[in-house]
Amino acid sequence: MTAGGLFQGPFGGGRVANDEEADSIPAGINLGRRSSVSAESMSTHATWAPDMACFPKTESQEARLLSALNANMLFRQLDPEQGQQVVMAMREVRIPNGHIIIKQGDDGDYCYVTESGSLDVYVQPPEMPTHEALAAPPDKLGTKVMTYGPGSLFGDLALLYMQPRAASIVATSDCVLWAMDRVTFRSILAKADMQRRIMFNSFLRQVPLLQHLREDERSRVFDAIQLEDYRAGEVVLKEGDTGTEFFFVVNGIAEVIKADNKEQPVTLLKRGDYFGELALLNQAPRAATVIASSRSHHGVMRVAVLQKEAFTRLLGPLSDLMNRHAVEHYGTSLSTRPTTPAPSGGEQGTSAIRSSSPRSHS
């Protein structure tokens, strides 16, 4: 089976010209040696060190790396600036044909994106002890399960979860890879999480529905939120569809459109506005279509998304507030409301929440 991987289309392109750069595997890249590694303690206050290694690339190489990374769930949540940091931190590695770049059971030191060449992936039987998998000769690496080609990203899970490598990977041609070391990998993620938490804490304070939440309540909302971007004209939700998600506008502008008047938006939603809650609370079809507006900065709208289960668990106590809002704005009472008990803090927390004045369009 061929894994054309996480990037579709050609992944060619030359390397950045540098007469002083060696064509061999750089020193410090652990390709076959097992080392003793202890897990780093990554503080959420980690910052991007000004002297952290940065390796120049051509524009086409950067674009291809971003395409590969954006197809990976781990990197997809990064902001553009953070994604650019990941790309610039990746170092070119040249691998000769036949070289074992990763050995099953070894420690995870690097993750890789394939620039050119091909690599086969082998897995030992589940019952084989780790020390035997590590000692296996090149001709007994197990069963071949797939082939990595240009654009494939691999090695990331071992870095994220600090687990031994789950397979052996062997170059079947001369390869050019982009490698990022474990410490840089975890530092960028720690910084991304810190920046995202700070940004969302500030954002949630600006949402009328949520601005009076306690810190622990905001933290629970933050942990359940996912970010999604929509380009101008893309549909976020469609009138008549079943509702399974609740949205906050983080950046940009959304247009609310009804089927009987598609040319004229009912209203515009901006940062801090939310929508989609009525369909969740009332288990009814979406009451309107919401699309990303061309008035958004750079034509991109970013929303924070809560799935139905998280919405009910975290925001169930707000159903009375939303019901009153629906009566005032839509002339419709919600016949069905969640019965999820209030979060810790009881009536005090609920009363504080109800003092807010939400802006909503579903």
Side-chain angles (χ1 to χ4, degrees), residues 78-96:
L78 297 180
D79 291 335
E81 179 182 352
Q82 294 157 349
Q84 188 67 26
Q85 289 179 343
V86 170
V87 167
M88 297 311 295
M90 302 194 85
R91 179 177 185 175
E92 186 182 275
V93 183
R94 291 184 169 251
I95 307 295

Side-chain angles (χ1 to χ4, degrees), residues 104-139:
Q104 183 172 334
D106 207 347
D107 295 314
D109 298 316
Y110 288 82
C111 68
Y112 305 88
V113 173
T114 309
E115 168 80 10
S116 63
S118 61
L119 307 100
D120 284 346
V121 182
Y122 294 88
V123 177
Q124 297 284 9
E127 64 275 9
M128 177 175 284
T130 299
H131 70 278
E132 291 186 17
L134 278 170
D139 60 340

Side-chain angles (χ1 to χ4, degrees), residues 33-45:
R33 175 182 57 84
R34 177 171 174 82
S35 58
S36 177
V37 180
S38 60
E40 295 85 5
S41 175
M42 302 306 298
S43 168
T44 56
H45 297 287

